[in-house]
Amino acid sequence: ASRVMVASRNYADFANEATFEIKKCDLHRLEEGPSTTAVLTREEGLHYYKTMQTIRRMELKSDQLYKQKIIRGFCHLYDGQEACCVGLEVAIKPTDHVITAYRAHGFTYARGVPVRTILAELTGRKGGCVKGKGGSMHMYTKNFYGGNGIVGAQVPLGAGIALACKYFGKNEICLTLYGDGAANQGQIFETYNMAALWKLPCVFICENNRYGMGTSVERAAASTDYYKRGDFIPGLRAISVYQVDGMDVLSVREAAKFATEYCRAGKGPILMELQTYRYHGHSMSDPGISYRTREEIQEVRSKSDPITLLKDRMINNNLASIEELKEIDVAVRKEIEEAAQFATTDPEPPLEELGHHIYFNEPPFEVRGPNQWIKYKSVS
């Protein structure tokens, strides 16, 4: 009891909130942009820190399980980019919609899927968020549409979701994410055109992690100003005090707040660029050091790590103590270990479930199995 009283007295000494300066965004076809100040409350800071730390540890555990050959197939990790999914999620409502590419684990967690359910999906178990049938690239939950394996294909799908929001008269928006590697595709420009014509409530977001699959943006694109690529669609590129906006959760949050309010006001689509950085290679089969140096990766880690940046801000502005954040770290590590234990012991789905969930809300029908003599029954 005395220990609890001491802790409560210590916590009472913390500031409730702090205000931070944010550099003015680069703007395209906009007269004004996001706020140049961001207020961070102690409660928000602790939530952001725990969420980003959980995603980081989850991805590092995924790396370990993959190298142990417990996770198989394609696997694209999100460590280094945590500020993007967290900053975006806290700027929208649970009823809003998100669709992204196949580097989706962070968004899946930010949208509310537990770590154990994500890791179980990665290991192909019944307790996974797609019952072990989706794997790394195909994770879904309410108002989150993946996790899409075809590069850039989620962009027209995102516009379709935004069209549904408008059609049904809901005051909802769709965040449609893609990487710099997909940004040169024709389907994306076709989608821009339709979204602008129909004034769809769609925020197009380019997560520019600088290398696509393994080619630098300078070698891949004649113009690397991705926020201007919509031409007739307004765009913004946030620049944080650290020069790498996608590594600063507050810069992402403020830019996302502005963009979502713009869409919700019925002004049509808007484009955001988040400059970020992945610590792992493009996928687990990519060592990530043939097209960039170890020194470059280490420099980003030491100067622009999103978790470290938030941690320093909170400690320097009396929003939290080092000891308190260490307690969060310990709790997160324990949660990840327990989730990994579940993901490696939960049973795999039975073979007959291969035919399940082909259609939603349809009567059962027969599905041919691995050969023509084996029949499965599809259940909605």
Side-chain angles (χ1 to χ4, degrees):
S2 61
R3 185 179 172 186
V4 173
M5 288 177 66
V6 170
S8 63
R9 281 201 304 270
N10 290 341
Y11 294 158
D13 294 336
F14 291 123
N16 289 325
E17 63 180 42
T19 303
F20 300 94
E21 293 296 321
I22 294 178
K23 286 193 176 181
K24 187 178 179 181
C25 286
D26 290 330
L27 303 178
H28 173 66
R29 290 183 177 266
L30 289 167
E31 293 182 1
E32 59 180 3
S35 172
T36 55
T37 60
V39 176
L40 177 68
T41 68
R42 169 177 154 78
E43 184 180 357
E44 288 170 342
L46 292 172
H47 171 64
Y48 301 169
Y49 181 83
K50 184 180 179 182
T51 306
M52 289 198 291
Q53 190 69 276
T54 302
I55 294 169
R56 173 71 55 85
R57 292 291 166 186
M58 178 178 70
E59 295 299 66
L60 294 178
K61 178 56 71 173
S62 300
D63 172 80
Q64 180 185 340
L65 293 173
Y66 195 95
K67 288 171 179 172
Q68 293 172 349
K69 298 187 177 179
I70 297 172
I71 295 173
R72 309 298 292 266
F74 293 104
C75 187
H76 304 80
L77 302 182
Y78 201 71
D79 50 317
Q81 300 186 205
E82 296 90 351
C84 294
C85 64
V86 175
L88 291 169
E89 180 61 36
V90 299
I92 62 175
K93 301 174 182 177
T95 51
D96 289 327
H97 308 266
V98 179
I99 187 168
T100 188
Y102 42 72
R103 201 177 305 281
H105 308 163
F107 283 98
T108 308
Y109 179 74
R111 289 258 85 184
V113 179
V115 175
R116 59 186 271 147
T117 311
I118 295 171
L119 288 181
E121 188 57 44
L122 286 166
T123 57
R125 310 301 171 118
K126 286 179 68 175
C129 57
V130 195
K131 304 185 185 300
K133 296 186 286 185
S136 174
M137 297 198 290
H138 304 285
M139 295 188 178
Y140 310 94
T141 190
K142 185 174 177 60
N143 297 333
F144 177 64
Y145 307 84
N148 290 267
I150 305 301
V151 177
Q154 72 279 4
V155 179
L157 295 178
I161 295 165
L163 175 61
C165 293
K166 184 171 183 176
Y167 182 83
F168 290 113
K170 298 179 178 180
N171 189 27
E172 299 169 357
I173 54 107
C174 181
L175 304 187
T176 300
L177 292 109
Y178 56 96
D180 53 282
N184 299 313
Q185 290 195 355
Q187 62 181 326
I188 291 179
F189 293 94
E190 292 178 55
T191 304
Y192 289 162
N193 185 58
M194 288 187 286
L197 286 172
W198 298 339
K199 289 190 176 297
L200 300 183
C202 190
V203 183
F204 296 106
I205 303 166
C206 178
E207 283 186 294
N208 175 9
N209 62 25
R210 307 189 203 177
Y211 287 103
M213 193 168 181
T215 304
S216 68
V217 292
E218 291 80 12
R219 293 179 59 214
S223 169
T224 58
D225 289 335
Y226 294 103
Y227 71 105
K228 295 181 179 179
R229 292 290 198 88
D231 188 10
F232 35 76
I233 296 177
L236 59 99
R237 177 170 63 193
I239 304 176
S240 78
V241 292
Y242 302 102
Q243 300 299 326
V244 188
D245 64 291
M247 307 296 269
D248 177 2
V249 68
L250 294 184
S251 290
V252 176
R253 185 190 72 179
E254 294 307 308
K257 280 182 178 179
F258 176 87
T260 54
E261 287 169 8
Y262 180 95
C263 276
R264 249 185 262 279
K267 298 178 181 178
I270 191 168
L271 205 158
M272 282 176 58
E273 179 186 346
L274 300 176
Q275 292 182 336
T276 185
Y277 200 86
R278 53 174 167 79
Y279 293 160
H280 270 83
H282 172 72
S283 68
M284 287 301 296
S285 61
D286 168 24
I289 52 172
S290 59
Y291 47 85
R292 58 183 185 176
T293 63
R294 293 182 190 274
E295 291 73 23
E296 177 185 306
I297 301 168
Q298 189 54 44
E299 184 179 11
V300 175
R301 280 181 175 274
S302 63
K303 294 181 179 179
S304 301
D305 183 79
I307 298 174
T308 304
L309 295 181
L310 178 62
K311 179 180 179 179
D312 290 346
R313 274 178 166 166
M314 293 183 69
I315 292 170
N316 294 338
N317 290 272
N318 196 34
L319 292 173
S321 67
I322 295 174
E323 292 74 23
E324 185 179 15
L325 297 182
K326 281 183 179 177
E327 287 178 10
I328 292 175
D329 295 346
V330 171
V332 166
R333 285 193 183 96
K334 183 182 178 185
E335 180 187 1
I336 300 299
E337 289 303 321
E338 291 174 351
Q341 180 67 22
F342 171 76
T344 53
T345 56
D346 191 51
E348 295 180 354
L351 198 58
E352 56 267 21
E353 282 196 18
L354 279 173
H356 290 189
H357 312 119
I358 294 175
Y359 295 108
F360 173 69
N361 203 24
E362 288 287 327
F365 61 94
E366 282 194 339
V367 179
R368 197 183 84 171
N371 64 58
Q372 59 184 329
W373 296 283
I374 296 176
K375 302 287 185 183
Y376 297 129
K377 182 153 286 189
S378 180
V379 179
S380 294

